[in-house]
Amino acid sequence: MPMLSELALTAGLLHDLGKYKVEFQQYLHGYLKKGDPRTYHKQAGAAKAASVNNMPLGFAIFGHHGGMPDSAELKAVVKEELNQAYSSTIWTSASVDSSDIRGLLVPAFPIRNVTAHKFQADLFTRILFSCLVDADWSDTARHERVIVNREPPEPDPIPLDPANRLKRVLDHIAGKAAVCAEGNVKRIRAGVLEACLDAADLPPGLFALTVPTGGGKTLAALAFAIKHAAKHDLRRVIYVAPYTSILEQNIGVFRDALGVGKDAADLFEHYSLAEPPGDDDGDETKRESAARRAENWDAPVVVTTNVQFFESLFSNKPGRCRKLHNIARSVVILDECQTLPPDLVAPTCGMLKQLATDLGTTIVLCTATQPAFDHDSLRDDERLAARPIIPKELDLFADLKRVHVTWPKRNDAPLEWSAVAATMRAEPSALCVVNTKKAARAIYDELKKSDTAGVFHLSTGMCPQHRREKLEQIKQMLTVGEPCYLVSTQLIEAGVDVDFPFLMRELAPLESVIQAAGRCNREGKQKGYGRVVVFRSAAAVQEPKKYFPPDRWYRAGRDKVEQIIAANGDGPQIDDPIAIQDYFHRLYQSGDLDGHDIQDMRQKFQFRSVAEAYRLIADLTQPVVVSNWESHREEVESYITELKTRPRKSLFRRLARFQVNLFPHQLLTSAHLVAIGPSDVLVWTGKYDAEAGIVDEMADAFIV
């Protein structure tokens, strides 16, 4: 980015210019209290920047306390500041006091035609803001640590050192291949790895890594990222996934491959259930380092969620934006990228394209079901032309075909829950995935009526610890060949590693059906193909409001599948990349890919409004801690008690394992069952079923 360093230096000199105000000096001497509006100081530097028409500099300075505003708000504040002649008076005082200020010539904005390059100006402003916030906060922390507390400086960030890390990763992959008993899988994974290592030599930019289940995608993507970083002098690897279940599964894979321990700073975990190093053992250095990495991502390998990554790119807040400059010249692996909400596709693809073209970042779109990010309805500056890493001649989908899908015919009668349960019972073991918690509970009850052995239920009505324990039981039963019948909502599709011989999937968007199919014959142990049966449910036909998620795009995806069935007499082929692309093209044609007008707001420099509009998770659920789960009652009570006397991040994260998210209408109708605990933690005091979690009082709740 041209002139970024010069403007960053200018921002550093100007951001606290307002501290020369008489009122701020009175605050320093104790005559005015902290928080008094008269002591606010960010306006002066912003006004000085605006006086030479450098609005990006003005946004960055104004935003370093509280966040970057919309354009109209900044212009109003700057106009008032200039009208009161504060900035000129303050500038005179500062010039007398500081030779740096006295000799400073505030540069004009380097993008001359801002009107024609508004997205470029928007991203420039965000990166400048990020640099200013990181430098300001780092300098403050250094002062507190070294000058005030007289402690040694915090250690420098660990470099990526890609050459050495690549050797470790490749040695690890070779070790796993040596013990792989299935020759065909070993051959396929070797081909995927070779393709990734070959593609790593290509120039930075946009790549697509399309590999079906079982192809060794995760480790091959890591090898690509590290070799690519070594080849092109990139600074870090950032792995992004949509669900914590995928992160928890892959973090261990990454640590083993990289040869780093749980508390090593080489890999930083930034998601809600990650334990911050040093939080419990009193190690202040570890705690401060972890806090810094969470804000600025200066670790060589970062593992994080879609929410954390994408919402930070569109945020206006200092804490979230501090990390943005460290995304530049990185390798970003976007796992399961098809989960991006369609109404955010346009702004997200536009931003990803800018990361590649303006910041030298390499983006890897990593999935078995590549979405249509090159859709015709996207503008040129939003359409992604990703280079495929896997050559067509590998034909991975044919080689890794694990299941055969039976779709419902156009005139097939929908199934009652009792018929679904009967079909499951006819198999040695079976998994059924449905669209709502109410449906999952209904089929579970049908199975229990007949005294079927080995019946399980999974939904978001159960807390994460409960689901984890049930999954361990399920995996053990499947391993030893005991009958096992699991009914689950879509959460089982989110990277959960189970392997059933038979799967039933309630009709849903194609990407959901494909994800569910990945839980059937996952390891290829069945003779022939695993069987997947997609069905329409009678309840969803009769009462769609109760038995189908309200999300408009989820309904649109289901409808597109129905249209394909009606047109072809059969459903789409889940192992055909062309059929998958055709589905996504149909889906994206059915609605606005910028459903919140974010691109328009970006062009108008409405930073606050963009941040409010860009939300990956639209619901406003509230977590409640389950206190009446009998098997963990004492553990939860001990955490809540400890929270009263010693609240800390690690304690909140431990409680997160026992949380269930409730919607506002659920909290309203069950207010008498929710208590406010220490640190304003909400505690669920109602019934918690040992098999299904919160169910009786929440019977009509939908999964999102």
Side-chain angles (χ1 to χ4, degrees), residues 272-438:
S272 60
L273 298 181
E275 288 285 351
D279 197 42
D280 263 347
D281 60 13
D283 189 324
E284 189 70 23
T285 300
K286 283 185 179 179
R287 193 155 60 242
E288 288 182 6
S289 296
R292 186 200 70 235
R293 289 198 303 275
E295 289 162 348
N296 76 356
W297 285 3
D298 62 4
V301 180
V302 176
V303 177
T304 192
T305 60
N306 279 8
V307 169
Q308 193 59 244
F309 180 79
F310 287 118
E311 291 191 4
S312 293
L313 287 171
F314 291 89
S315 179
N316 71 320
K317 295 298 184 183
R320 277 210 153 174
C321 290
R322 182 181 180 183
K323 65 177 76 73
L324 297 187
H325 69 96
N326 276 330
I327 297 175
R329 292 182 46 244
S330 297
V331 185
V332 178
I333 302 169
L334 298 177
D335 205 355
E336 304 296 354
C337 57
Q338 80 284 352
T339 58
L340 187 70
D343 57 358
L344 292 176
V345 162
T348 305
C349 286
M351 182 66 80
L352 290 175
K353 193 165 188 175
Q354 283 190 271
L355 293 184
T357 56
D358 296 347
L359 298 184
T361 300
T362 283
I363 307 293
V364 184
L365 305 175
C366 193
T367 178
T369 53
Q370 286 290 346
F373 287 166
D374 59 349
H375 197 270
D376 290 342
S377 66
L378 295 170
R379 299 186 317 217
D380 288 343
D381 55 6
E382 297 165 345
R383 198 175 298 126
L384 301 186
R387 289 165 286 180
I389 291 176
I390 304 298
K392 289 182 180 179
E393 55 266 25
L394 280 186
D395 201 10
L396 296 180
F397 283 83
D399 284 345
L400 287 168
K401 182 178 173 69
R402 300 284 175 83
V403 300
H404 175 75
V405 181
T406 301
W407 293 91
K409 303 304 179 186
R410 183 174 185 178
N411 297 319
D412 282 356
L415 299 183
E416 300 288 347
W417 301 134
S418 58
V420 175
T423 305
M424 293 177 68
R425 283 196 302 269
E427 302 294 330
S429 287
L431 165 63
C432 180
V433 183
V434 290
N435 293 321
T436 65
K437 288 189 277 191
K438 190 174 182 66

Side-chain angles (χ1 to χ4, degrees), residues 615-658:
R615 288 288 184 269
L616 284 180
I617 302 175
D619 71 85
L620 301 174
T621 58
Q622 182 74 40
V624 295
V625 174
V626 173
S627 64
N628 285 339
W629 182 20
E630 198 57 45
S631 61
H632 287 270
R633 182 192 293 270
E634 290 184 6
E635 182 182 1
V636 173
E637 286 180 352
S638 70
Y639 293 151
I640 293 174
T641 300
E642 194 173 356
L643 200 59
K644 296 177 183 176
T645 57
R646 195 184 168 212
R648 57 197 188 282
K649 288 183 179 179
S650 63
L651 208 51
F652 285 105
R653 283 177 168 85
R654 288 173 188 172
L655 281 171
R657 295 186 291 119
F658 302 98

Side-chain angles (χ1 to χ4, degrees), residues 654-670:
R654 288 173 188 172
L655 281 171
R657 295 186 291 119
F658 302 98
Q659 288 177 344
V660 173
N661 289 327
L662 301 183
F663 289 95
H665 74 274
Q666 295 171 312
L667 284 172
L668 185 64
T669 57
S670 302

Side-chain angles (χ1 to χ4, degrees), residues 82-102:
L82 291 173
N83 285 344
Q84 294 179 0
Y86 267 148
S87 55
S88 58
T89 304
I90 292 168
W91 182 260
T92 302
S93 300
S95 297
V96 171
D97 189 56
S98 169
S99 59
D100 289 331
I101 293 290
R102 189 162 54 250

Side-chain angles (χ1 to χ4, degrees), residues 555-577:
R555 290 176 179 270
R558 188 270 314 268
D559 292 345
K560 294 306 171 188
V561 172
E562 286 279 31
Q563 290 172 15
I564 294 171
I565 292 173
N568 301 337
D570 199 3
Q573 296 298 310
I574 72 167
D575 49 10
D576 180 357

